[in-house]
Amino acid sequence: MVENICNTRMEVMERELIIKFGKDSKLNGIEVGVLRGEVDLYLLNKFPNLTMTGIDPAPVLSFIVPTLLNELETGRFHIVIDKSDNAIQRLKREYDFAFIDGDHDYEQIRRDILNYWQIIKPNGILFGHNIDDDVPGIAHPGVRKAVYEIFSGRQVYRDNDVMWWVHV
């Protein structure tokens, strides 16, 4: 049984991935905006058959490399050091889910949503962060605007830790 109370974005994603795919499914995920790789590490520890690709123009490699060394060596984690606009050009539609938490500027988040939506396989999930306008220091108005503009007429799910997601 999946617990419905989640406190962090990682727990929200874990719950939704279990509901959609199960715990042991072979999954391929991508994160835009890796920074230190905490989301990747959490999900890789929770899903034994998950492979993650992280995209960030300036990841904190001094944290990522030692923390995710085993996953880097076994091929379960790949890091692409580049801007999301450039990285998308090298990717195919082979991902079960994507998590967008990069640049929160309206124009950039809009491009990331439109670009990364296209590489998620049918029946996948597009996750994002920082949707609420009323959470000081965490929310970014451009995220809300872009999400509801792009997914007008579609169900946009929301949960704790200013998370949002849509089903492909």
Side-chain angles (χ1 to χ4, degrees):
M1 180 166 169
V2 178
E3 180 68 40
N4 284 328
I5 299 171
C6 299
N7 294 317
T8 69
R9 61 186 174 269
M10 293 164 282
E11 291 170 333
V12 170
M13 291 171 55
E14 177 188 9
R15 179 195 66 209
E16 294 303 315
L17 291 171
I18 290 171
I19 290 169
K20 186 79 164 178
F21 302 109
K23 189 85 168 166
D24 296 317
S25 294
K26 184 174 168 60
L27 297 174
N28 198 7
I30 191 161
E31 179 183 13
V32 175
V34 173
L35 192 59
R36 292 186 305 267
E38 291 109 333
V39 170
D40 302 290
L41 179 63
Y42 180 90
L43 293 174
L44 287 164
N45 283 331
K46 296 293 182 176
F47 294 91
N49 297 312
L50 170 63
T51 300
M52 287 294 297
T53 299
I55 299 170
D56 200 306
V60 182
L61 292 175
S62 61
F63 185 86
I64 290 173
V65 172
T67 305
L68 289 162
L69 183 59
N70 185 57
E71 288 76 11
L72 285 162
E73 289 176 343
T74 61
R76 290 189 64 216
F77 180 69
H78 309 278
I79 184 82
V80 178
I81 302 173
D82 204 346
K83 293 182 178 181
S84 59
D85 292 337
N86 298 332
I88 190 68
Q89 298 171 22
R90 300 187 300 268
L91 302 172
K92 297 182 274 184
R93 188 174 197 170
E94 61 185 8
Y95 297 92
D96 299 293
F97 69 93
F99 176 50
I100 300 176
D101 193 21
D103 186 337
H104 295 84
D105 172 75
Y106 167 75
E107 292 297 333
Q108 186 60 54
I109 190 72
R110 189 176 192 289
R111 282 195 308 272
D112 284 344
I113 291 169
L114 292 171
N115 285 336
Y116 286 85
W117 172 260
Q118 297 177 45
I119 63 168
I120 301 171
K121 296 188 276 190
N123 298 315
I125 304 174
L126 177 65
F127 293 100
H129 194 226
N130 301 99
I131 193 166
D132 290 321
D133 291 336
D134 58 349
V135 182
I138 295 176
H140 298 272
V143 174
R144 175 190 284 266
K145 181 179 177 188
V147 167
Y148 285 109
E149 178 182 290
I150 292 167
F151 298 115
S152 173
R154 291 187 73 113
Q155 174 70 52
V156 176
Y157 299 91
R158 296 175 56 176
D159 207 327
N160 289 343
D161 198 15
V162 291
M163 280 294 294
W164 63 269
W165 66 96
V166 292
H167 295 273
V168 178

